[in-house]
Amino acid sequence: MELEKKHIQQATQEEIRPPVTIMGPMGWIRANLFSSWFNGLLTVLIIFLLWKTLPPFFKWAFVESLWRSDGTACRDAGGACWSVVSQNFRFMIFGFYPHDQQWRPLLSMAILVALLFYSRNRNHWKKLLVYAWLTGLLLMGVLMKGGILGLVDVESTQWGGLPLTLLLAVFGLTAAYPLGVLLALGRQSRLPAIRTLCIVYIELIRGVPLISLLFMSSVVFPLFLPEGVSINKILRAQVAIILFTAAYIAEVVRGGLQGIPKGQLEATETLGLSYYHTMRLVILPQALKIVIPPSVSILISAFKDTSLVVIIALFDLLKTTQSVLSDPQWMGFSTEAYIFVALVYFLCCFFMSNYSRRLERELNVERA
Amino acid sequence: MPTPEEQIIVIQKLHKWYGEMHVLRDINLIVHKGERIVICGPSGSGKSTLIRCINRLEEHQRGRILVDGTELTNDSKNIEKIRAEVGMVFQHFNLFPHLTILENLTLGPIWVRKIPKAEAEEMAMYYLEKVHIADQARKYPGQLSGGQQQRVAIARSLCMKPNIMLFDEPTSALDPEMVKEVLDVMINLAQEGMTMIVVSHEMGFAKSVAHRVLFMDEGQILESNTPVEFFENPQHERLRLFISQILH
Amino acid sequence: MVDTKDSLPESKTSFWYDPAKRSILYQVVSLLFVGLLGYYLLSNTRHNLERQSIATGFGFLQKEASFEIGESLVAYSAADTYARALWVGILNTVLISGIGIVLAVTLGILIGIARLSNNWLVSRLSSVYIEVFQDIPVLLQLFFWYAFCYEMLPSPRQAIHPMTGIFLSNRGLVFAVPATHPAHRYMCAAFSCALIAVFFLRRWSRKRQERTGRTFPMLGTSLGILLFFPIGAWWLAGAPTAMSMPVLKGFNFEGGLTISPEFSALLMGLVLYTAAFVAEIVRAGIQSVNRGQTEAAMALGLKSGRVLSLVILPQALRVIVPPLTSQMLNLTKNSSLAVAIGYPDFVSVAGTTINQTGQAIEGVAMIMAVYLCFSLLTSAFMNWYNKKIALVER
């Protein structure tokens, strides 16, 4: 068999362009939309459906819509009645909060947003941040309640709308976190009594719907208290949300604790560190870093779940909207109102989940 | 003179692009039946891409590839026919973790060649004996070492009775002490007359069984020679640089 | 000479430094704390219940319920007991959860696979769906669909009538169903026979493949059998075509099968919401399978259908099933939101019971107990499944 013995080739440097069918817009369309006859069919079908549905929707939502009229004018017109939002905006967002004092919940929300934006940058994650958050939360509470520093006292029964939603979610998560961490540590404990108590609590709470806990908070909690003592409704709902969220945080933190190599514990034992110091200085900082993305996901869930307080008649964002819709003047425009509320929730949750994904990517890159 | 029928792989003026990147430039290669070729070169030179074009794991945009007379096009019947004749061994073994070793080997014969189960298992045990790993037949890939897994991967490809075997850096992912056991199996295979194209840096292997060694860089085959001449008398300056780098 | 002692002097560790004793102390203290707290809450409760003259115990279950339930799978009237009312509630919960899970998982799988499609339009649209439906609270989605049913749909007198026997109005979707006829019983029997036949056919085809290597077109044949056995029974029983047609009588329809707006709104909301999460799970599961697995299977010459069923799916399912069962449980828990739109699920009925009897503790305890049962069943299943399919590693 005579084989090619020797062959040398000079490296060619001339550039040959790839065929036009795989490059540029034509290439992209061919590869992404029409790569097979089935795909081509799907593409055509989807474009047809979009053609049928999008123009009428835009016509309804933007062309024929009314933005600043009243109910009767809206009923006569055929398009979307965004006036239901624009005319009732302040009630939907702030609930029964006194009109002239509404700058206070607005300021509260602004502080919250500012804190969130500040926390986005991971270079700011130092002890200072924790103090900033604590002061921020305190400030928000003071602003909402008033009664000191010359601010008019506003009863919590008048709190409502978006600030109430944010309050329930943020305070809920903040208070639930330490409880959740304790539960997770308790679940890992070698002491059987403590471990059993924690497991029972976690499994019980995770197995029942939030609504049952909210029911419990509104009808059963009052029975637990001695005669004459009463806690306002918002606080009861807040406690229910805290107890609920803590169980989920406990599971997530448990996952984080299990992700820590056993060598870490062994190292601390050889150093003679106490249990408290081991947890506080070595284990928890590492575990909490791992669980930040799933924790943001719990925050998003908590934010969405606050909408359930509608059922126990607390005036969060959803309930204020429903009140507006029960007004005879604005009855029948649920679609527009709900789209608005959905947009608010969507924007908040979208930014949070986007952040969580970005964070996960950054932390993964670091760990690799 | 080798007759055209003995040309088992013919590659003419092959070009491939990944988007704007020209990863294979004007590749011309003829492989004869029973021939053993080793391809080496720096990473990113296109060696893996080239052999993956041969069994259509990658698509080429220009040029022709003929495997045993059948041209590689978008026609799926041709592709399946060619894949059944060309075996491939991967750098990371790619054994199916949810199946036993035996099931890994019989999967292809049962579902592609439609061979009855008993016959397929008999053949599988034969090949497992050949790679000296028959005692692990009922175990799962997760229970085997890297070297054992790669030998199983070779046996799995052999069960399809291929005419050509492609090896994509078969020993690069192995611990040093396991490289020899896999190379021994490959040398045995070579001595039985299998047509092999191996992408590898193992010079010892190239020197002992290869008919030709190819040097690729930046998508082109820059030098092709017998092993002895290739390593002792490199002509191309880039090859000389490459050899000096791997001979540390 | 050093005097070696036989044993070291006994060291006496102080009480506080002995870990064994300390652990017992911690446990005793925590149990005591929990116990005292429980006792305090219980005594308050008992006192308050007495004060408000609310009964305790489950005796109320035997009392007459005296409220109507809009939809029920079994016969129920206001004269029945609370126990029966609650039972209707449980059945309704199981009904909506069952149908919801089947639809949500099917839709979620389709959208998850679509998300991975190499058709840009398809994959973009799926990811938009997933993002939008995950980020809007499920209760809001329920309200939206409920309002949609009531505001966008006409009254029964002007019901939408796409074809004979189907009417869509704000009282629900009514459609004609075959009038009850003994043939239906035969059809059910035929279907069961078909299932058994398919089972044995599968076994036979597998044995034949092991023996001779030839494959048998199982999918097409099974579908054919499952379809034709019942149709054959129907034809043999005289091919009854009598239908119970919905007829407008007064303000509403009579006859046919009605799906109420509450049911449809609840189903739509739950299915669309949960499907978004299922889609993500399916996508992550399929992507978790190494690309090399597909390549190795293709290099052996397997067709893409076989690659999927023999290599990819078994590995993807390991990753998909645990979070999938969590989502199914979530759907069941979310069905409790039915109380907000008036569908009589268990929480809804229990809520009415609490309102009427005032026995909040028993009511809430029952709600929790029922859902705990669902949870524990799901956990048990998941543990069993995980053990069964765990990959064997060294």
Side-chain angles (χ1 to χ4, degrees), chain C residues 187-311:
Chain C
M187 286 171 77
C188 284
F191 189 73
S192 326
C193 288
L195 283 173
I196 298 176
V198 165
F199 176 71
F200 280 111
L201 187 68
R202 202 157 167 259
R203 274 181 62 176
W204 168 84
S205 119
R206 226 173 334 162
K207 287 248 154 46
R208 187 179 88 139
Q209 185 187 16
E210 286 182 12
R211 242 189 17 249
T212 67
R214 285 165 37 212
T215 47
F216 185 78
M218 262 317 290
L219 195 63
T221 327
S222 325
L223 281 175
I225 292 181
L226 288 173
L227 208 58
F228 283 114
F229 270 39
I231 292 184
W234 171 82
W235 184 71
L236 283 174
T241 47
M243 303 279 270
S244 164
M245 295 289 284
V247 174
L248 183 58
K249 281 215 169 71
F251 284 110
N252 204 353
F253 287 93
E254 268 183 34
L257 183 67
T258 313
I259 300 183
S260 69
E262 288 81 13
F263 187 86
S264 347
L266 188 60
L267 197 65
M268 280 286 269
L270 286 177
V271 167
L272 292 178
Y273 179 75
T274 315
F277 289 89
V278 171
E280 271 295 281
I281 293 172
V282 167
R283 178 191 67 85
I286 295 183
Q287 281 186 325
S288 77
V289 179
N290 206 317
R291 223 192 141 226
Q293 294 286 302
T294 325
E295 291 184 348
M298 291 203 298
L300 285 174
L302 287 167
K303 292 203 188 41
S304 36
R306 296 271 180 229
V307 170
L308 203 63
S309 63
L310 293 172
V311 175

